[in-house]
Amino acid sequence: MPIGRDEVRHIARLARLALTEAEVERMTRELSAILDHFAAIRALDVSDVEPLAIAAERAEPLRDDVTERCDPLLAPPEELAPEWRDGFFLVPRLPALDAEALEEGAEPTGEDR
């Protein structure tokens, strides 16, 4: 079952792919080969083959839908923050910044001592 160049261009346009003419030619050959494989599989006589067990025959019970569970990001940010003040997250000062300040001659604050 061959696929045409126009069909390849149409598929590429739908997928928002920019294909060169060489790529269109290659994709035409490759997609046609894939469709040929499917046609060969479809033509196989499997009437005497025992069907395999499918998942629907031994399906596990579905879990109950839990509607109370919600997305944690829907909570206000102050509920997610370990510390929150005046609309801002409070984060600890990085020790490396304290070391740089001391090297520059700044006096340590009461919190740094």
Side-chain angles (χ1 to χ4, degrees):
M1 171 181 237
I3 187 168
R5 295 168 61 82
D6 290 335
E7 291 172 301
V8 170
R9 285 190 193 102
H10 178 69
I11 294 167
R13 198 170 26 260
L14 291 174
R16 297 184 177 169
L17 298 174
L19 299 179
T20 64
E21 283 305 310
E23 290 170 324
V24 169
E25 183 64 37
R26 185 178 53 118
M27 288 295 156
T28 302
R29 284 191 314 273
E30 289 180 5
L31 290 173
S32 293
I34 291 170
L35 293 177
D36 289 340
H37 287 295
F38 277 109
I41 291 171
R42 200 175 302 127
L44 292 173
D45 179 20
V46 292
S47 59
D48 61 339
V49 177
E50 190 70 28
L52 297 173
I54 58 173
E57 292 175 356
R58 352 170 245 185
E60 295 296 323
L62 298 175
R63 65 171 169 74
D64 293 331
D65 285 333
V66 179
T67 56
E68 295 84 36
R69 197 172 17 165
C70 68
D71 187 351
L73 295 179
L74 295 176
E78 59 269 14
E79 289 183 17
L80 299 173
E83 292 189 59
W84 179 265
R85 187 181 327 136
D86 299 325
F88 294 98
F89 290 106
L90 298 179
V91 294
R93 184 168 173 84
L94 295 174
L97 295 177
D98 289 336
E100 289 174 14
L102 290 174
E103 287 175 5
E104 293 173 2
E107 288 295 320
T109 64
E111 297 173 343
D112 294 334
R113 292 183 198 171

